[in-house]
Amino acid sequence: MQKPLHILFIGAGRMAEAIFSGMLQNELNVKITISNHRDQERLHTLGIKYPVQTVSNWVNIFPQADVIILACPPSVHDKVLDQMNPMIQSHQFVITVAAGIGPTKLEAALPKGTAVAWLMPNTAADVRKSMSIYTFGQYVTKEQQALFQQIVGAIGTAEQLTEQQVHDLTAITGSAPAFLYHFVEALEQSALSFGITKEQARKLVLEMVIGSAAMLDKHREPAQLREQVTSPGGATAAGLATLADNQFVDIIGQAVDATNKRAKQQGQE
């Protein structure tokens, strides 16, 4: 039997859990080690919940890892990369899932020739429905690319982009789910104003969103679907006109720009 691939996660937050949970559900031939020195209680919980090895200090286990996934905050990447630099081996593959940390930064911090990649999933990885975007550094082999596809395929769909495009589009795939959830919250608040219970409001709005997403999945044309719901001069048209009058499209664009600006700052801090 082929030796399992050893994957080391540095960081044990929700995104790390979503990724290794998806990998385990897909029954990939992997050995997974999770490290987190800041939150021992969470590390203990993950060790009970999943068939993974847990360590508070990743340094001792590092030489044994084939793939290192940096699931720690952008603000600690410099420190972690400094620690990794003298230990990195030629066969090891380093992947970050942190906003603002692209291959250029990783390659500059690690020995020349180190294979690196930048993966930007979203929290739907938790249900294996992430729309992830990614880009490779210049030293990634075809075998490592194939391995990467196995990892990312365990959590959903993925699209390869340039490094700059990942910087720009993280707001669309990674942060925009929060915009959608906020829209859902606003619709629930509106529904509550008409005298129904919170449970009823949630059911009405969530089932509407789920049904609408299913229609998008089937038909793939949002403008066409919008037009089907909108009779000229009708009630829906009046609501859409109000959104337009309040610069709905411009506001979304501003939210994307603000997200990108902050992600860039995080990568530099």
Side-chain angles (χ1 to χ4, degrees):
M1 184 176 179
Q2 187 177 9
K3 179 184 175 183
L5 190 77
H6 190 174
I7 301 179
L8 168 64
F9 283 79
I10 300 179
R14 289 192 61 189
M15 187 55 69
E17 182 180 3
I19 295 171
F20 69 70
S21 172
M23 292 166 61
L24 291 169
Q25 289 177 62
N26 271 27
E27 299 183 347
L28 299 181
N29 185 26
V30 294
K31 174 185 177 181
I32 295 173
T33 301
I34 314 298
S35 68
N36 187 341
H37 72 278
R38 291 185 177 181
D39 191 342
Q40 294 300 304
E41 184 178 347
R42 175 164 174 77
L43 203 58
H44 178 70
T45 300
L46 292 174
I48 294 173
K49 186 176 179 181
Y50 300 99
V52 297
Q53 176 184 13
T54 60
V55 294
S56 57
N57 188 346
W58 56 267
V59 173
N60 293 332
I61 207 77
F62 186 88
Q64 303 170 31
D66 301 300
V67 179
I68 300 94
I69 297 182
L70 303 178
C72 45
S75 59
V76 302
H77 265 57
D78 283 344
K79 179 181 178 181
V80 170
L81 291 168
D82 282 345
Q83 289 179 278
M84 287 171 53
N85 185 293
M87 298 189 292
I88 200 84
Q89 300 171 53
S90 60
H91 73 280
Q92 291 179 312
F93 185 17
V94 180
I95 302 169
T96 182
V97 295
I101 310 289
T104 299
K105 184 177 179 69
L106 295 178
E107 288 178 345
L110 296 172
K112 185 175 181 180
T114 302
V116 302
W118 184 19
L119 171 65
M120 280 277 90
N122 63 38
T123 53
D126 191 47
V127 290
R128 299 166 70 187
K129 287 290 187 179
S130 174
M131 178 60 246
S132 305
I133 52 180
Y134 67 92
T135 190
F136 294 125
Q138 58 185 315
Y139 304 112
V140 180
T141 66
K142 290 190 180 299
E143 291 77 13
Q144 289 168 329
Q145 289 184 26
L147 169 62
F148 182 91
Q149 295 300 335
Q150 284 187 299
I151 294 171
V152 74
I155 59 171
T157 304
E159 186 75 15
Q160 183 175 2
L161 302 172
T162 67
E163 182 170 351
Q164 187 56 51
Q165 286 171 332
V166 175
H167 277 291
D168 294 338
L169 292 166
T170 297
I172 303 296
T173 58
S175 300
F179 306 164
L180 175 61
Y181 303 147
H182 196 32
F183 179 62
V184 168
E185 289 177 303
L187 285 177
E188 284 186 5
Q189 287 299 314
S190 292
L192 287 171
S193 70
F194 299 108
I196 62 175
T197 66
K198 186 175 181 179
E199 290 73 21
Q200 288 175 314
R202 175 139 307 170
K203 179 180 179 181
L204 292 176
V205 175
L206 290 188
E207 291 302 326
M208 179 278 297
V209 171
I210 291 167
S212 299
M215 288 290 284
L216 283 166
D217 189 39
K218 180 179 180 180
H219 298 288
R220 300 281 170 170
E221 289 292 342
Q224 195 174 75
L225 291 171
R226 173 177 51 77
E227 290 167 1
Q228 290 174 4
V229 184
T230 311
S231 302
T236 303
L240 287 171
T242 300
L243 291 178
D245 289 343
N246 287 277
Q247 287 79 48
F248 180 74
V249 173
D250 290 342
I251 289 170
I252 296 299
Q254 290 167 24
V256 168
D257 290 342
T259 301
N260 285 339
K261 182 179 180 181
R262 179 56 186 147
K264 185 177 180 180
Q265 290 173 341
Q266 287 179 307
Q268 295 172 343
E269 289 173 353

